């Protein structure tokens, strides 16, 4: 990506950031008190630029700003040292950037909400997680395994009419199981269909969601035992090989079971608690889940991030969440 493209993309990135609203947030917690030069907004712009340029350490960030006048104008500072960047990483709580992300999400909901409802299926919320392994000596707080550290990003992405945007992002150490964050990612809206993968597998939660009219579709494991209530006919010309009404494990509520094959011929078993959806719709909906995988590809750049602190690393994730932001018209991939 050349400098002219970077400049254009950078402007698109910072355009949705309402500086007046964000400054009120900053003033409320007193983060910029007595700061004359490198305030929170300048810090935010600096590391958005660093992500765009894939600057993988603080020294490169410092050197780039120091030698490029264009960058200085973009981020609002003429120079900054590596030590100043490192100190700022430690000083600014990562919750500040989480608040900024949620502010952007609220703007998205306000702008896109009226047209984000499909006539037939409603809105899809795709739920998944991504684990980033890291060096244990640098990230001791990120509990994962005995030999390495890691963080896990649990994300809910709203998807409709080929448009997607992050609805919620939860960051945890990598060790806890995916299902521990499932309740926090659920949207209590009967028009929303939640789609997640096998990592969020929990019979008790599935039964509870069914009782509370929370719609979901998920892939189940090959060895999951199902109790067949009724076998339903399938179209022999479709890739769907089985359609049935079943109960799983100790669940009291029945679900639809759809068995189909992926592009490589592997069997996929999907269950859905919405009785109104056809087998083909359930199959198509689950395939839409791969949109979230594309989004996680954008977040993966944070593996080579220029931060070694807890707050700094989390800033990478929250700033990268803007990659899936429809306010950002420029394409970065």
């Amino acid at each position: 990506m050349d400098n002219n493209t970077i400049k254009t993309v950078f402007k698109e990135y910072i355009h949705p950031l309402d500086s007046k609203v964000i400054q009120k947030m900053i003033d409320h917690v007193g983060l910029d008190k007595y700061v004359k030069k490198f305030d929170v907004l300048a810090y935010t712009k600096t590391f958005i630029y660093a992500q765009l340029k894939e600057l993988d350490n603080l020294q490169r960030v410092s050197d780039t700003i120091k030698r490029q006048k264009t960058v200085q104008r973009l981020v609002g500072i003429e120079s900054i040292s590596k030590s100043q960047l490192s100190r700022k990483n430690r000083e600014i709580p990562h919750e500040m950037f989480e608040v900024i992300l949620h502010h952007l999400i609220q703007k998205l909901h306000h702008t896109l909400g009226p047209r984000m409802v499909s006539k037939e299926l409603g809105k899809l919320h795709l739920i998944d997680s991504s684990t980033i392994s890291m060096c244990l000596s640098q990230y001791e707080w990120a509990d994962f395994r005995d030999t390495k550290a890691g963080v896990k990003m649990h994300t809910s992405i709203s998807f409709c009419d080929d448009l997607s945007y992050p609805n919620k992002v939860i960051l945890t150490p990598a060790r806890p199981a995916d299902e521990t964050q499932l309740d926090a990612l659920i949207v209590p809206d009967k028009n929303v269909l939640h789609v997640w993968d096998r990592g969020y597998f929990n019979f008790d939660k599935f039964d509870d969601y069914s009782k509370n009219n929370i719609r979901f579709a998920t892939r189940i494991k090959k060895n999951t035992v199902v109790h067949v209530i009724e076998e339903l006919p399938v179209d022999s010309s479709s890739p769907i090989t089985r359609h049935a009404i079943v109960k799983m494990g100790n669940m009291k509520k029945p679900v639809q079971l759809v068995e189909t094959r992926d592009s490589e011929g592997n069997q996929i078993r999907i269950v859905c608690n919405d009785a109104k959806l056809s087998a083909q719709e359930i199959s198509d909906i689950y395939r839409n889940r791969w949109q979230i995988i594309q989004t996680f590809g954008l977040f993966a750049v944070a593996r080579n991030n220029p931060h070694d602190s807890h707050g700094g690393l989390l800033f990478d994730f929250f700033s990268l969440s803007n990659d899936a932001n429809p306010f950002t018209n420029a394409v970065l991939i």
Side-chain angles (χ1 to χ4, degrees):
M1 191 181 295
D2 60 34
N3 287 334
N4 288 332
T5 304
I6 285 287
K7 183 177 179 180
T8 301
V9 173
F10 180 81
K11 288 181 177 179
E12 292 286 349
Y13 262 56
I14 65 174
H15 175 70
L17 297 174
D18 191 328
S19 59
K20 292 182 179 179
V21 172
I22 294 173
Q23 191 61 54
K24 287 182 179 179
M25 300 176 187
I26 295 168
D27 293 342
H28 179 71
V29 295
L31 287 179
D32 280 343
K33 194 173 183 180
Y34 307 122
V35 175
K36 296 181 179 179
K37 177 182 176 183
F38 197 43
D39 58 22
V40 174
L41 279 174
Y43 172 92
T44 303
K45 292 177 182 180
T46 296
F47 282 101
I48 289 176
Y49 182 86
Q51 290 289 357
L52 288 173
K53 288 289 287 184
E54 298 185 21
L55 304 178
D56 57 5
N57 61 68
L58 297 180
Q59 189 61 59
R60 287 189 64 194
V61 176
S62 175
D63 292 343
T64 301
I65 292 175
K66 188 179 300 183
R67 69 171 180 264
Q68 295 190 20
K69 297 290 185 182
T70 301
V71 180
Q72 294 171 15
R73 290 194 298 271
L74 289 174
V75 302
I77 55 174
E78 295 182 358
S79 64
I80 194 75
S81 68
K82 175 184 174 181
S83 61
Q84 287 175 302
L85 292 169
S86 180
R87 184 164 59 251
K88 203 70 173 181
N89 279 344
R90 295 190 298 270
E91 291 175 351
I92 301 179
H94 70 270
E95 289 86 358
M96 184 70 240
F97 304 108
E98 187 172 2
V99 168
I100 292 174
L101 172 62
H102 292 164
H103 167 65
L104 290 173
I105 289 174
Q106 287 177 355
K107 290 180 68 176
L108 282 167
H109 288 177
H110 178 74
T111 302
L112 300 176
R115 63 184 180 92
M116 288 295 290
V117 178
S118 169
K119 294 180 180 178
E120 296 181 358
L121 302 178
K123 188 171 12 179
L124 297 184
H125 274 234
L126 309 176
I127 295 174
D128 211 335
S129 69
S130 180
T131 299
I132 309 296
S133 299
M134 300 176 298
C135 175
L136 182 60
S137 62
Q138 284 187 290
Y139 303 95
E140 294 181 0
W141 54 267
D143 183 34
F144 188 19
R145 296 177 181 168
D146 293 339
T147 57
K148 60 183 176 181
V151 293
K152 187 176 289 185
M153 179 179 63
H154 306 266
T155 304
S156 167
I157 290 190
S158 294
F159 177 78
C160 191
D161 296 333
D162 295 325
L163 180 62
S164 62
Y165 62 92
N167 182 66
K168 193 168 189 178
V169 178
I170 300 173
L171 292 163
T172 67
R175 189 181 293 274
D178 290 354
E179 66 180 75
T180 61
Q181 300 302 318
L182 185 55
D183 287 345
L185 296 169
I186 292 294
V187 177
D189 183 343
K190 65 180 182 180
N191 293 318
V192 169
L193 178 66
H194 303 82
V195 184
W196 58 75
D197 205 5
R198 294 172 293 184
Y200 295 91
F201 204 76
N202 186 303
F203 289 139
D204 291 335
K205 288 185 183 293
F206 294 173
D207 227 10
D208 186 59
Y209 296 154
S210 296
K211 290 176 184 176
N212 290 284
N213 297 316
I214 295 173
R215 302 160 65 226
F216 67 84
T218 182
R219 184 177 175 183
I220 62 174
K221 300 175 183 179
K222 292 181 179 179
N223 61 351
T224 301
V225 177
V226 297
H227 307 283
V228 179
I229 298 174
E230 180 184 3
E231 292 284 356
L232 301 174
V234 296
D235 185 347
S236 59
S237 63
S238 79
I240 295 171
T241 58
R242 186 185 185 189
H243 185 202
I245 305 299
V246 303
K247 286 186 179 181
M248 298 186 298
N250 59 355
M251 287 183 62
K252 296 179 181 179
K253 298 288 185 179
V255 294
Q256 293 196 69
L257 169 67
V258 174
E259 294 183 2
T260 184
R261 296 193 178 276
D262 62 18
S263 58
E264 297 179 356
N266 301 311
Q267 185 186 60
I268 297 176
R269 305 175 78 199
I270 309 163
V271 294
C272 178
N273 68 343
D274 188 338
K276 296 180 181 179
L277 295 180
S278 69
Q280 188 62 54
E281 286 173 328
I282 293 172
S283 176
D284 291 344
I285 286 168
Y286 189 81
R287 293 177 191 280
N288 279 337
R289 176 189 165 274
W290 289 105
Q291 178 73 24
I292 200 170
I293 301 301
Q294 297 175 4
T295 301
F296 279 124
L298 298 173
F299 286 101
V301 69
R303 291 176 186 268
N304 296 316
N305 70 86
H307 298 294
D308 58 8
S309 67
H310 183 215
L313 178 68
L314 296 186
F315 167 74
D316 277 338
F317 286 105
F318 290 128
S319 64
L320 280 168
S321 297
N322 200 36
D323 284 356
N325 185 341
F327 283 131
T328 305
N329 297 318
V331 178
L332 300 181
I333 298 180

